[in-house]
Amino acid sequence: WGTRAVMLYAFIVMENRAEATLLSANLVGTFAITLVHFILPRNTALAKVSYKTQTLITMIVFLGSWGGNYVGVYNITPRFDLFLHFISGYLCVMGGYYIALTLIKPENKKQIFLVSFFAFCFSFFIIPFWEVSEFIGDFIWGTDNQGFYWGPTDDSFFFKVFGHGIGNTKLYYLFDTVYDMLLAAVTTVLTFIGLYLGLSLKNRQKEACTSESKKHNGENVIVTC
């Protein structure tokens, strides 16, 4: 509620009304899970999505919409946009994980993989969807969410390492979008691996604890799991 309050204040006082309109749309997005819980019947899977997912949505929206556009961190630190896309891979995977938990509880290796893979695919759905939404927002409201904060120039590290590519010297406008997606993809893969390994370890510990409990069944022995 604190983040929503400061975003509402920013919407009221922002001089750039196009950016303010986009900020208001993001503000509505922080109520996404609340609205799902309110609209859908209680026995619906999505109506059981954890509010932790809401926290993840609010976090990335607040950093980008309030911190980036209203406070102006994008202009102060151009690489702030890259940072947001980098951590968005983690946030999207975890959001997908909490959604997957409404459908299945991972209790064996197959289920652990399915839940982790669902979270992985969910992130790879959100990544391009986010870029498309930025483009649509810029087109409708005249904002500059795809404003090349990366600053593609011949002096950039990317060009020094990889060069321009064959015949791509006039495609700089694509580099911002693709580079953002690549950064999010990296953290998506890393988070997927970490999530799978973490769930697998937790499952092995649970199985070991269950096995130890059965071994001492009937005996006056306390087994701590």
Side-chain angles (χ1 to χ4, degrees):
W1 282 105
T3 59
R4 290 164 178 164
V6 296
M7 288 180 68
L8 178 60
Y9 172 78
F11 166 72
I12 295 172
V13 302
M14 282 183 75
E15 296 181 359
N16 187 329
R17 298 318 296 169
E19 290 288 355
T21 302
L22 191 58
L23 186 145
S24 67
N26 289 326
L27 175 59
V28 173
T30 66
F31 291 92
I33 303 302
T34 304
L35 292 175
V36 167
H37 285 200
F38 180 75
I39 295 173
L40 296 180
R42 290 294 182 182
N43 58 349
T44 306
L46 287 179
K48 302 175 183 178
V49 176
S50 170
Y51 276 104
K52 292 179 181 178
T53 307
Q54 187 70 75
T55 301
L56 299 177
I57 295 173
T58 302
M59 185 185 304
I60 190 67
V61 167
F62 178 73
L63 289 174
S65 187
W66 186 84
N69 290 325
Y70 174 66
V71 178
V73 181
Y74 284 137
N75 298 321
I76 299 172
T77 308
R79 287 182 175 80
F80 182 68
D81 181 60
L82 302 184
F83 166 73
L84 290 182
H85 284 282
F86 186 73
I87 66 172
S88 68
Y90 165 77
L91 298 176
C92 289
V93 170
M94 295 308 298
Y97 168 64
Y98 292 130
I99 293 175
L101 290 181
T102 67
L103 304 173
I104 184 175
K105 303 299 181 182
E107 297 179 349
N108 55 54
K109 291 182 179 180
K110 182 179 179 180
Q111 292 173 340
I112 288 173
F113 177 77
L114 288 175
V115 168
S116 301
F117 189 65
F118 176 90
F120 173 81
C121 293
F122 179 79
S123 182
F124 268 105
F125 166 76
I126 295 297
I127 290 171
F129 176 80
W130 183 268
E131 292 298 324
V132 171
S133 67
E134 284 188 345
F135 171 80
I136 293 175
D138 290 347
F139 184 81
I140 294 176
W141 291 301
T143 52
D144 63 344
N145 289 288
Q146 295 183 314
F148 312 116
Y149 299 113
W150 173 38
T153 66
D154 291 340
D155 295 327
S156 299
F157 173 78
F158 183 89
F159 288 113
K160 289 180 179 179
V161 176
F162 299 104
H164 293 278
I166 299 176
N168 289 334
T169 55
K170 296 182 180 181
L171 298 182
Y172 284 172
Y173 64 93
L174 291 176
F175 281 33
D176 177 75
T177 296
V178 174
Y179 201 55
D180 289 345
M181 294 175 66
L182 286 174
L183 284 173
V186 169
T187 45
T188 292
V189 172
L190 294 177
T191 306
F192 161 69
I193 295 173
L195 178 62
Y196 176 73
L197 294 178
L199 292 176
S200 298
L201 176 61
K202 184 178 180 179
N203 184 63
R204 285 197 298 269
Q205 292 174 338
K206 182 179 179 181
E207 290 178 346
C209 182
T210 301
S211 176
E212 189 69 19
S213 297
K214 291 180 178 179
K215 185 189 300 183
H216 296 285
N217 188 27
E219 301 178 15
N220 189 21
V221 176
I222 298 176
V223 178
T224 303
C225 297

